[in-house]
Amino acid sequence: MLAVIESTEGGYCAIFERHLNHPVNQVWGMLTENEKLGTWFPELKADELREGGYIKFDMGDGTFEKMEILELTDEAVLEYTWGEDIVRFELAKEPNGCRLVLIEKINKLTDHTPRDLAGWHVCLDVIEKLLDGKTVNSRKVEWQKWYEQYVTAVEDL
C-alpha cells in the first residue's frame, strides 16, 4: 500500500504505516543499532543517539552528511533532519507486535521526491522481511515498481 501523501501548511507529508509481528524493542533496534540499521540502509549510521546527536549518511565519497536528531523517545520516537526535510519514526505496541509509522515532512516537492518515497517504501518492506527471517532478493526491482506509483501520486498533488 502506498504512503498517504498530503499537502500541509508549509509543505507536504508522506505517511507510511506498517503492522509488524515483532515486538517494539526488535523494531527499535532496526532503527537505532548500527549493525541492524546497516542491514536495511547501509549508508546510515547512528552517531550520538540522543536529541542533538546525529544520524550520519555516508555519501560514498568519504564524506558524511550529519542529520540532527530532533526528538528521541526510547522505543517510541526517532525524528531527524533529512536535508531540508524531516523523517520521523513512531512505534506503538499492538497485541501481535507493533505499529511502525514513518512520516516524512517534505518541504518542497522535487523530481527526487518520488525516488525518496519509493526508497522509504522498500526500506520498510526490507525491515519487515529481515525481522521475519527472510532474505531480500532485488531491491531495485521492487523500487522501480513503487517508484512509478509514487511518480503518479506526486503528480496528482
Side-chain angles (χ1 to χ4, degrees):
M1 188 158 104
L2 285 181
V4 174
I5 308 167
E6 304 171 332
S7 178
T8 63
E9 189 176 319
Y12 301 87
C13 187
I15 304 165
F16 301 82
E17 186 171 338
R18 298 288 192 282
H19 297 273
L20 306 174
N21 294 322
H22 300 278
V24 167
N25 67 323
Q26 285 183 4
V27 179
W28 183 254
M30 294 296 281
L31 302 175
T32 61
E33 296 172 21
N34 287 326
E35 58 278 355
K36 294 176 184 174
L37 183 59
T39 63
W40 65 273
F41 206 139
E43 295 83 7
L44 292 185
K45 181 179 180 185
D47 188 33
E48 299 179 54
L49 191 61
R50 59 174 176 77
E51 288 183 14
Y54 294 95
I55 302 291
K56 287 184 175 177
F57 187 97
D58 185 345
M59 301 301 285
D61 60 5
T63 65
F64 294 86
E65 181 177 340
K66 290 171 89 173
M67 301 177 296
E68 184 180 357
I69 297 173
L70 303 173
E71 186 176 344
L72 180 75
T73 304
D74 195 39
E75 296 189 356
V77 176
L78 173 61
E79 179 178 272
Y80 50 89
T81 59
W82 186 267
E84 293 183 13
D85 302 332
I86 294 174
V87 172
R88 179 182 180 90
F89 294 92
E90 298 176 351
L91 294 175
K93 185 177 179 180
E94 292 186 329
N96 295 322
C98 74
R99 178 173 54 94
L100 168 61
V101 177
L102 165 60
I103 302 165
E104 183 174 10
K105 298 172 189 172
I106 303 166
N107 187 42
K108 180 177 149 189
L109 296 178
T110 68
D111 291 343
H112 204 284
T113 302
R115 294 177 181 278
D116 283 346
L117 295 175
W120 283 122
H121 191 109
V122 171
C123 282
L124 295 176
D125 289 347
V126 168
I127 288 171
E128 184 171 14
K129 286 179 182 176
L130 291 172
L131 286 168
D132 288 346
K134 298 177 182 174
T135 57
V136 179
N137 296 326
S138 176
R139 291 182 192 211
K140 188 174 183 179
V141 170
E142 283 296 304
W143 179 88
Q144 189 63 45
K145 176 178 80 172
W146 292 110
Y147 170 69
E148 299 300 332
Q149 293 182 54
Y150 281 109
V151 166
T152 302
V154 169
E155 286 172 352
D156 289 346
L157 290 173

